[in-house]
Amino acid sequence: MQKCAVENSRLGIPLLFCNDIIHGCRTAFPINLALSASWNPQVAFDCASVSAYESSHSGVNLVFSPMLDLVRDPRWGRVMESNGEDPYLSCEFAKAYVEGYQGDLTSYDTVAACAKHYVGYGASEGGRDYFRTEISDYTVQNVVLAPFREAVKAGVGTVMSSFNDISGEPVTSSKKYLTDILRGQLGFEGFVISDWYSVQQLIRQGIAEEYEDCAHHAINAGLDMDMADEHYSRFLEKFVNEGKVSMETVDTAVLRVLQVKLAMGLFEKPYALPKKVDRKAHVERAEKLAAESMILLKNDKNVLPFPKKTSVALIGPYT
């Protein structure tokens, strides 16, 4: 496929091959929530660097990771992909994951990272996936944005927009979140990719009436790449001709994607360099990280088991 793009197409622009590399490629590491329980960002760096090596030499050059949603509702089905509920911890892990994946982006051993899901996806109401959120501006600025801010500082190549709306405003079509905050406030310079079919979801969210209307709402908000929907490839030319989308907007989105490909050195080395993976060494590293992620309770005061008539006070927002 890459040969067709590079050698047999009009412009010869290399393709990006992307994959959901969550906690390992060929070598399975502990889930993200377990790694974060170590409170040691080095474990995230090690997991990401090994995953990047195995992914890159398998032909993948962009991974949809790290997942930086702060999660405070245990009912949500994607808690295990997160770093938990603590903003400081998630910030430290965000930096470690990005640096572990990307390293020297021009190297055959690295991949571009994608910070997801921007933003507020982990606060889905009732723990229901794809659902709405109610988040105050204060919480967005001081809590929810924190790990994404750190990922941008670390130079993350791409950001994935989230499915949810925030207080009625879908992120996929939000200029406030995708342009004003992400680019203007955080200083992000890479490209934004939609989540799977999230452009099309603008119909359910009440922003668009027809499939084709979704495209101009998304790209005008600052969404550069449409994943899976194909609404950009099918309808953007029509909207440019109708004046609903400017040619400058399309050019800007294309340029952002090309800049990431240039930074990765894809134009100089578009083809993967298959290498034999040292599975023994990688499994040994995974075992060490698994051991560090385990939390053991030492009962040296003979506190446990509690006597039957013991009263226990549970205090805090999650009780």
Side-chain angles (χ1 to χ4, degrees):
M1 291 177 68
Q2 191 70 295
K3 186 174 182 179
C4 287
V6 173
E7 300 179 25
N8 300 321
S9 70
R10 182 172 62 90
L11 298 176
I13 297 174
L15 300 173
L16 279 172
F17 292 90
C18 316
N19 202 359
D20 258 325
I21 303 298
I22 308 301
H23 53 96
C25 178
R26 298 186 180 279
T27 303
F29 287 86
I31 60 174
N32 306 58
L33 191 62
L35 291 179
S36 66
S38 69
W39 282 81
N40 179 6
Q42 185 63 42
V43 301
F45 180 91
D46 289 347
C47 172
S49 60
V50 169
S51 300
Y53 183 94
E54 294 182 350
S55 300
S56 176
H57 294 295
S58 299
V60 173
N61 38 44
L62 170 61
V63 298
F64 296 139
S65 179
M67 195 261 229
L68 302 179
D69 297 296
L70 289 173
V71 183
R72 295 179 171 180
D73 188 337
R75 295 173 296 179
W76 193 46
R78 300 184 69 170
V79 172
M80 76 293 295
E81 294 179 49
S82 77
N83 298 313
E85 74 273 16
D86 186 78
Y88 176 77
L89 176 67
S90 193
C91 285
E92 294 298 302
F93 271 62
K95 178 182 178 182
Y97 275 120
V98 171
E99 292 178 347
Y101 282 127
Q102 296 192 166
D104 174 9
L105 260 183
T106 62
S107 167
Y108 275 106
D109 298 341
T110 61
V111 293
C114 180
K116 68 180 189 183
H117 306 85
Y118 178 87
V119 61
Y121 189 41
S124 295
E125 190 174 289
R128 286 175 282 182
D129 210 11
Y130 290 70
F131 211 49
R132 61 179 177 264
T133 67
E134 290 284 344
I135 314 173
S136 69
D137 286 343
Y138 176 88
T139 301
V140 167
Q141 290 291 335
N142 293 285
V143 179
V144 178
L145 278 179
F148 290 95
R149 187 179 292 114
E150 203 61 38
V152 170
K153 288 180 182 178
V156 69
T158 69
V159 166
M160 182 186 293
S161 66
S162 54
F163 285 113
N164 58 285
D165 65 59
I166 298 180
S167 304
E169 183 173 0
V171 176
T172 302
S173 61
S174 173
K175 183 177 180 294
K176 171 184 174 181
Y177 289 105
L178 297 183
T179 298
D180 298 344
I181 293 178
L182 181 59
R183 297 193 182 279
Q185 183 180 314
L186 272 59
F188 177 63
E189 296 181 348
F191 73 82
V192 180
I193 184 171
S194 74
D195 207 334
W196 187 265
Y197 279 95
S198 67
V199 174
Q200 186 169 301
Q201 187 171 304
L202 290 174
I203 296 175
R204 291 187 179 183
Q205 293 172 317
I207 297 298
E209 292 185 0
E210 304 291 341
Y211 286 146
E212 64 181 63
D213 291 328
C214 300
H216 70 80
H217 285 294
I219 197 166
N220 283 331
L223 188 77
D224 304 304
M225 184 181 288
D226 169 19
M227 190 207 301
D229 300 87
E230 298 184 6
H231 293 331
Y232 280 17
S233 59
R234 293 165 62 193
F235 303 120
L236 278 185
E237 183 179 3
K238 173 178 178 287
F239 288 135
V240 170
N241 292 333
E242 292 177 353
K244 290 184 178 180
V245 177
S246 70
M247 198 64 236
E248 181 183 4
T249 297
V250 176
D251 288 343
T252 298
V254 171
L255 179 61
R256 288 168 179 163
V257 176
L258 290 176
Q259 285 174 330
V260 171
K261 292 182 178 183
L262 282 166
M264 296 171 66
L266 274 180
F267 285 88
E268 292 77 26
K269 53 175 188 62
Y271 304 117
L273 181 66
K275 277 188 180 179
K276 186 177 181 180
V277 174
D278 188 344
R279 290 276 293 142
K280 182 179 179 181
H282 288 184
V283 169
E284 287 177 356
R285 187 178 297 190
E287 288 177 348
K288 290 179 180 179
L289 300 192
E292 191 162 348
S293 73
M294 295 176 187
I295 306 299
L296 301 179
L297 181 64
K298 191 174 182 179
N299 192 29
D300 56 354
K301 302 292 185 180
N302 294 319
V303 174
L304 300 175
F306 290 132
K308 289 184 177 180
K309 295 184 179 181
T310 300
S311 296
V312 178
L314 300 177
I315 301 169
Y318 314 125
T319 56

